[in-house]
Amino acid sequence: PILQRETLQHVIKPRREWVNDDIYHNFNTQSSSQWDGLTHYGSPTYKCYYNGITPNEITGKPGTRNGIQAWAQRGISGRGVLIDYARYAERHGIHYNPTLRHEITVSSIQQAAKEQNLHFQTGDILLIRSGWIKHYLTLTPSQRTQLSSSPPQCIGVAQGEETLRFLWNNHFAAVAGDAFAWEAYPRHPERGFMHEVLLPLWGMPIGEMFYLEGIAEECHRDGIYEFFLTSAPLNKLGGVASPPNALAIK
């Protein structure tokens, strides 16, 4: 996994004849597709997590605050909208390596939306397809190991006030993408890291490493880049993040 996170170990445990259990070891919810929850990143500026929560209130025990179980109670669902930046870049001759830092600007998102005949609405869940997952799945095991052990970089949305104003003014409910940080990584030396705003100050879910190839192909086929998105996070008391368990329904 990227950022040298743990590798999930799956064991099928026979109980008796015709009966099996699953055992998962080293399950780091950040190692694959996930929603970042409200205790994943706090604000270094304001010294708190979302709703002013302090580190000593995050225990994972009864009474813990901001755990992923709060999202599991109702789930995450709404109108999903896809910006297919990978196809946009191909059309416009924009060349990049998804495993190196490359910024997806607000202007390119807006232009891609225009070309897709996509109009944003209040409460949309914004999905950005960069092509990172598609590229990663072409790598050999040794190439993946090399990538995970190298200084991490990836394509993502450009940091800064322009992007934050774009997200705020369009009233998105959540954001997600197929790259491992959603925003360009590493952080910009002057414009910072938007995780430190979206999660602790806005309470906005951030989805990462979503597999978007199937829905992108369907949207490209019929020219409609909106769909019903439903997601059921883990009902784990105090969980920091969760696999999305997401479906896009058209």
Side-chain angles (χ1 to χ4, degrees), residues 184-216:
Y185 196 88
R187 69 172 60 222
H188 192 277
E190 297 174 355
R191 291 185 263 120
F193 201 53
M194 292 187 295
H195 275 57
E196 296 169 359
V197 175
L198 301 185
L199 291 170
L201 303 186
W202 294 9
M204 175 180 282
I206 301 174
E208 297 163 344
M209 290 188 283
F210 277 35
Y211 183 79
L212 300 177
E213 296 307 298
I215 189 60

Side-chain angles (χ1 to χ4, degrees), residues 41-224:
Y41 261 79
S43 169
T45 301
Y46 297 99
K47 311 299 182 186
C48 67
Y49 293 90
Y50 183 63
N51 271 342
I53 299 305
T54 59
N56 60 10
E57 294 178 272
I58 299 170
T59 64
K61 301 175 182 178
T64 191
R65 302 296 301 276
N66 287 2
I68 203 75
Q69 80 282 351
W71 291 357
Q73 290 172 5
R74 293 193 176 186
I76 298 172
S77 62
R79 178 181 183 251
V81 291
L82 175 71
I83 295 295
D84 194 340
Y85 179 78
R87 280 193 169 90
Y88 168 85
E90 184 178 2
R91 288 195 303 272
H92 291 272
I94 301 171
H95 303 287
Y96 60 90
N97 181 339
T99 64
L100 298 178
R101 194 181 194 283
H102 174 83
E103 292 191 341
I104 300 174
T105 64
V106 168
S107 61
S108 63
I109 293 173
Q110 292 172 322
Q111 183 59 33
K114 182 178 180 179
E115 293 178 13
Q116 294 173 190
N117 195 30
L118 176 63
H119 304 282
F120 301 129
Q121 299 177 15
T122 296
D124 283 347
I125 301 170
L126 175 66
L127 305 180
I128 306 287
R129 175 179 175 260
S130 67
W132 188 89
I133 283 284
K134 180 180 180 180
H135 175 81
Y136 183 82
L137 293 176
T138 67
L139 301 180
T140 64
S142 62
Q143 289 173 322
R144 294 182 187 184
T145 299
Q146 182 180 5
L147 181 64
S148 68
S149 60
S150 302
Q153 297 187 55
C154 77
I155 184 174
V157 177
Q159 286 97 357
E161 183 174 341
E162 182 183 17
T163 301
L164 292 172
R165 288 186 178 276
F166 165 74
L167 297 176
W168 182 269
N169 291 337
N170 281 284
H171 306 285
F172 294 113
V175 295
D178 61 347
F180 72 75
W182 188 73
E183 53 187 303
Y185 196 88
R187 69 172 60 222
H188 192 277
E190 297 174 355
R191 291 185 263 120
F193 201 53
M194 292 187 295
H195 275 57
E196 296 169 359
V197 175
L198 301 185
L199 291 170
L201 303 186
W202 294 9
M204 175 180 282
I206 301 174
E208 297 163 344
M209 290 188 283
F210 277 35
Y211 183 79
L212 300 177
E213 296 307 298
I215 189 60
E217 193 62 36
E218 180 63 19
C219 291
H220 177 66
R221 183 191 65 80
D222 65 11
I224 299 173

